[in-house]
Amino acid sequence: MDLRVTSRRGRRGRALARLAITAAMIPAVAPALAQAQEAHRGGTMQLMAVASGGTLDPQINYTAQFWQLYSATYDGLVAFKKADGPESNTVVPDLAADMPTVSADGKTYTFTLRKGVKFSNGDDVTPEDVVASLQRIFKVSSPTSGSFYNGIVGADDCLSSPADCTLEGGVIADADANTVTINLVEPDPEFLFKLSVPHASILPKGTAAKDMGNTPIPGTGAYMFTSYDANNSLTMERNPHFVEWSADAQPEGYADKIEYKFGGTEESAVNAVMNGQADWSFDPLPADRLAELSTNATDQLHVHAQSAWWYAPMNVNIPPFNDVRVRQALNYAVDRNALVSVFGGPALAQPVCQILPPDFPGHEDSCIYTQDPGDTWSAPDMDKARALVAESGTKGEKVNVVTEDNAASRGVGTYLQSVLTDLGYDATVQTVSGDIQFTYIQNTNNNVQISVTQWYMDYPAASNFLNVLFGCGSFHPGSDSSINIAGFCDEEIDARMKSAMTLGATDPEAANAEWAKIDYAVMEKAPAVPLFTPRRLDLVSERVGNFEYSSLFNWLIAKSWVQ
């Protein structure tokens, strides 16, 4: 099977050729480029998924599925560049006219807002909207309020009493100067990254401080949500008040309308794309179709490495996984090569047995749970696993694995069920609709013992995996927004994480070395089973052009056209 990674060499060569164009030719080229863009403008993009991504609220939703849409509907003060390849990790000004002025001590950021930017309801964006939006992050208990934005002055009071959040002294608006100043308790080298993700979207100051669910909130992006039924469909149309202020931060977009239908199966979605009835599907392609597609749809396939992992968080606060020996046993028992095969083979995944993905800041090859502990995973060690289960005295207990209702997640869950059964547990699998599974497994009231889920980077820093997924500040019992699904809170490790984040402001290299040690320390406590790191395989219809891929948002839908 030849699943070819999309080459960027051709684009780079064309870019060099363009640089050779003489200044005298530029006036002739610019109109031609504008005409070419206008020629591709229009039409309706048809998207599909087995299930929706849950709430439409950008400050609450934490799914790759809807973050992909938020890139074209909402903006923050700054943004990740909407570009293909490595450039997509670059932070650029968005609603701010320029990058902020930062104080010498690294604790004060001053942003000057662009003039003339409007929300999709026609209201002007003001400094007061920015203040209200940053307060709302805490008022709605956004999943990252305690891990991304807890360093803002006044955040501690907001975390202890969300409804009363003012961020007094932390976020200050100056309407006359059209500026917003943000004060931090300590320097944070990742702060601009955190302001670039959808949870920091700037919304109208009158937006209710509650999960808006299926109700679209006005945004500033090129598109706006015009309808949403989580069980059926979603529609996006052009924002009538949008005027492109930065192609890097928020490009205008080509399609006039984007329709997203939910339901059906991965198989039916592939057939729809191949028959020209749809343009793309969010869900992983069925493994049994990959050989056929790599032969018959070569030009329609796009493969990209991802800074991500599939993992199985285990609830460390309820049996049997409140015993570290049980968590370690499952880590020893899982055959990660078998899971790679379940997902589609080595072209689409590679086994992992640690938290930080390969080629990511802070990653150092390490594998504790394998027959030959060392740098890489080799094979499961069932003898060691069975011995640990016997020591724990938990053999025979009931264990339920909660998965999403799609082929890939069900396949992984069924495999984990078989391993747990081999270890002597009474194991079952429960599938939950994809539009609610992610929030369901986060809420401690549901007593989920173990689940199958995924994590894709929000920004390129080790803390985005370790601190967000396993930090004490990310655990909120009884909440649908508790991204620390395992409920893991080790005070010593948590203090080390905070120190590593502080160290990153002055010595990033030393900080990354410390993050590698923290990765190892968390894995010793085994709050999750790392499964594999995926590659993203996108199949688009023949009528889709200009496919570009962002490290954060995946396919940049707005930058593609439909014929």
Side-chain angles (χ1 to χ4, degrees):
M1 179 170 60
D2 178 24
L3 292 177
R4 295 181 292 178
V5 177
T6 302
S7 171
R8 298 189 181 93
R9 183 174 300 171
R11 276 190 290 274
R12 190 178 299 116
R14 289 193 293 275
L16 291 173
R18 285 196 296 270
L19 290 175
I21 297 176
T22 65
M25 295 175 65
I26 291 176
V29 172
L33 180 59
Q35 290 171 8
Q37 291 173 333
E38 189 62 30
H40 289 296
R41 181 184 170 101
T44 299
M45 191 83 72
Q46 300 283 354
L47 314 179
M48 297 183 70
V50 172
S52 70
T55 177
L56 204 57
D57 195 319
Q59 292 193 327
I60 295 176
N61 191 289
Y62 213 170
T63 67
Q65 183 177 4
F66 277 8
W67 276 34
Q68 185 175 33
L69 305 181
Y70 296 153
S71 69
T73 49
Y74 296 104
D75 296 277
L77 292 169
V78 288
F80 284 103
K81 187 175 182 179
K82 306 304 188 302
D84 190 63
E87 281 189 87
S88 63
N89 288 331
T90 303
V91 174
V92 298
D94 194 355
L95 295 180
D98 299 289
M99 296 301 287
T101 300
V102 184
S103 62
D105 63 4
K107 295 194 290 186
T108 298
Y109 291 70
T110 302
F111 299 86
T112 300
L113 299 188
R114 296 182 191 273
K115 293 182 179 180
V117 178
K118 294 179 179 293
F119 292 106
S120 56
N121 63 3
D123 292 344
D124 290 324
V125 176
T126 68
E128 289 75 17
D129 294 309
V130 177
V131 174
S133 296
L134 296 181
Q135 292 170 344
R136 187 177 185 272
I137 291 172
F138 297 92
K139 290 181 177 181
V140 299
S141 297
S142 177
T144 51
S145 57
S147 53
F148 282 16
Y149 310 106
N150 57 321
I152 300 174
V153 170
D156 284 348
D157 289 340
C158 291
L159 289 168
S160 62
S161 182
D164 301 321
C165 178
T166 64
L167 293 176
E168 183 176 359
V171 184
I172 303 165
D174 185 333
D176 292 336
N178 201 36
T179 62
V180 174
T181 298
I182 302 177
N183 294 310
L184 305 182
V185 176
E186 299 289 346
D188 181 357
E190 301 170 8
F191 189 58
L192 291 179
F193 286 155
K194 296 169 182 176
L195 289 180
S196 300
V197 303
H199 287 163
S201 295
I202 304 306
L203 309 173
K205 56 181 174 292
T207 304
K210 64 178 183 179
D211 185 350
M212 295 299 287
N214 291 8
T215 302
I217 301 173
T220 49
Y223 295 88
M224 62 180 183
F225 296 110
T226 53
S227 68
Y228 178 46
D229 178 344
N231 296 316
N232 294 296
S233 63
L234 176 153
T235 302
M236 297 163 59
E237 298 181 38
R238 288 192 182 278
N239 173 358
H241 299 284
F242 177 80
V243 177
E244 185 181 278
W245 58 80
S246 168
D248 287 341
Q250 186 62 261
E252 182 179 10
Y254 284 105
D256 285 338
K257 191 175 183 180
I258 298 169
E259 294 183 344
Y260 208 146
K261 296 189 182 340
F262 311 122
T265 65
E266 296 92 332
E267 184 74 23
S268 63
V270 169
N271 291 336
V273 174
M274 292 300 292
N275 293 333
Q277 298 167 319
D279 296 306
W280 172 85
S281 177
F282 170 77
D283 300 285
L285 301 179
D288 60 1
R289 297 291 299 272
L290 296 182
E292 165 210 339
L293 294 173
S294 65
T295 300
N296 298 333
T298 303
D299 293 338
Q300 297 170 238
L301 287 172
H302 303 268
V303 184
H304 293 88
Q306 294 184 296
S307 294
W309 69 329
W310 278 57
Y311 68 111
M314 295 171 282
N315 192 328
V316 303
N317 299 307
I318 61 176
F321 298 114
N322 57 345
D323 190 318
V324 67
R325 292 169 296 188
V326 179
R327 305 196 301 268
Q328 292 171 337
L330 188 55
N331 266 285
Y332 276 116
V334 166
D335 184 340
R336 290 166 173 84
N337 280 341
L339 285 166
V340 167
S341 297
V342 168
F343 194 68
L348 295 182
Q350 66 182 86
V352 291
C353 54
Q354 63 190 107
I355 298 163
L356 295 176
D359 302 318
F360 198 77
H363 174 92
E364 291 183 11
D365 289 341
S366 172
C367 190
I368 303 173
Y369 304 106
T370 181
Q371 277 192 3
D372 303 300
D375 291 342
T376 59
W377 184 83
S378 59
D381 191 334
M382 288 300 293
D383 290 340
K384 182 73 171 177
R386 290 191 176 101
L388 285 166
V389 170
E391 288 176 22
S392 73
T394 59
K395 189 174 181 179
E397 291 189 16
K398 294 181 181 296
V399 178
N400 186 43
V401 185
V402 180
T403 77
E404 288 181 85
D405 189 17
N406 62 53
S409 187
R410 287 195 306 271
V412 172
T414 301
Y415 171 78
L416 291 176
Q417 176 194 22
S418 69
V419 174
L420 287 162
T421 300
D422 286 347
L423 291 175
Y425 294 100
D426 181 4
T428 55
V429 173
Q430 176 186 0
T431 59
V432 177
S433 176
D435 60 338
I436 63 170
Q437 191 259 5
F438 192 53
T439 53
Y440 181 85
I441 63 178
Q442 292 181 63
N443 196 320
T444 55
N445 294 337
N446 296 320
N447 293 313
V448 175
Q449 296 165 293
I450 180 173
S451 56
V452 177
T453 190
Q454 317 90 41
W455 183 255
Y456 299 82
M457 78 159 189
D458 299 323
Y459 55 83
S463 64
N464 187 236
F465 279 78
L466 288 161
N467 184 53
V468 172
L469 297 182
F470 302 106
C472 297
S474 296
F475 181 46
H476 309 289
S479 169
D480 284 349
S481 298
S482 183
I483 196 61
N484 182 342
I485 299 168
F488 177 79
C489 179
D490 184 292
E491 297 292 347
E492 179 182 350
I493 291 177
D494 205 63
R496 289 176 65 184
M497 289 197 232
K498 288 181 171 60
S499 295
M501 286 187 281
T502 301
L503 180 61
T506 56
D507 193 341
E509 186 173 339
N512 282 334
E514 176 61 13
W515 282 116
K517 295 175 183 176
I518 293 170
D519 190 350
Y520 191 92
V522 175
M523 282 312 305
E524 284 185 313
K525 298 296 180 73
V529 183
L531 305 174
F532 53 84
T533 185
R535 292 183 178 89
R536 176 75 198 181
L537 178 58
D538 289 291
L539 174 71
V540 296
S541 71
E542 291 182 319
R543 72 189 198 120
V544 172
N546 200 47
F547 186 100
E548 294 190 15
Y549 187 87
S550 159
S551 298
L552 176 63
F553 297 112
N554 298 334
W555 174 35
L556 295 170
I557 297 170
K559 296 194 73 173
S560 288
W561 59 69
V562 286
Q563 295 176 350

